[in-house]
Amino acid sequence: MPWNLNSDRPIFIQLIEKIQMDIISGLYIPGDKLPSVRELAQKASVNPNTMQKALSELERTGLVYSQRTSGRFITEDTAMIENLKSELAKELIMQFLDNMQKLGIQKEEAISLISEISKGDDNDTVRM
């Protein structure tokens, strides 16, 4: 997944979100070693200090931990990862429902539309 960063929000927040997404989507699995700060910064096309700030915040939350001479690793606490996945999913659903309400579509109608669309796309991904 590419590092699609934009200037409407702080870059280090976007870096945190991208790494979190990589973890909950399974790109990095519990216990995996992360690439170095410089490697990640180069991939994201950001200053290493900005990447360091993002990784430090991920460490503070416990999602990532450091081993002094070995680098940074993904937590092995799968419950923490599942909780993060659930929180992010709920946040996306709330954003979706807010957007539907702005269109004049109530929650029940939005859920009905989702059900209708997902039944018709059993073999395909949902397109919108």
Side-chain angles (χ1 to χ4, degrees):
M1 183 179 222
W3 297 79
N4 294 325
L5 306 174
N6 56 52
S7 61
D8 65 346
R9 297 182 1 216
I11 297 296
F12 87 98
I13 297 290
Q14 294 176 67
L15 295 173
I16 291 168
E17 292 169 350
K18 168 69 166 90
I19 295 169
Q20 286 176 332
M21 195 62 72
D22 287 350
I23 293 168
I24 64 173
S25 70
L27 182 63
Y28 296 119
I29 59 172
D32 267 0
K33 184 176 192 266
L34 282 172
S36 72
V37 171
R38 291 199 184 281
E39 284 178 71
L40 286 171
Q42 187 175 26
K43 286 180 185 176
S45 300
V46 298
N47 184 299
N49 292 332
T50 306
M51 184 60 73
Q52 176 64 40
K53 184 176 180 180
L55 291 170
S56 292
E57 181 59 23
L58 288 168
E59 276 187 57
R60 191 189 66 71
T61 66
L63 196 58
V64 171
Y65 66 93
S66 286
Q67 288 187 339
R68 188 169 280 249
T69 58
S70 302
R72 285 191 172 90
F73 296 83
I74 306 302
T75 184
E76 294 181 24
D77 183 349
T78 55
M80 175 187 275
I81 294 169
E82 285 302 314
N83 285 340
L84 176 62
K85 183 186 261 186
S86 179
E87 284 176 31
L88 290 174
K90 287 176 186 174
E91 193 176 303
L92 288 172
I93 290 167
M94 291 306 296
Q95 288 173 6
F96 169 77
L97 291 173
D98 285 345
N99 286 330
M100 292 298 101
Q101 190 169 18
K102 289 174 186 172
L103 292 174
I105 297 172
Q106 297 305 311
K107 180 175 149 181
E108 295 75 20
E109 188 180 354
I111 292 169
S112 177
L113 285 169
I114 291 169
S115 179
E116 189 179 307
I117 291 169
S118 65
K119 286 178 187 173
D121 281 342
D122 286 342
N123 296 325
D124 297 328
T125 57
V126 176
R127 294 182 275 333
M128 295 203 128

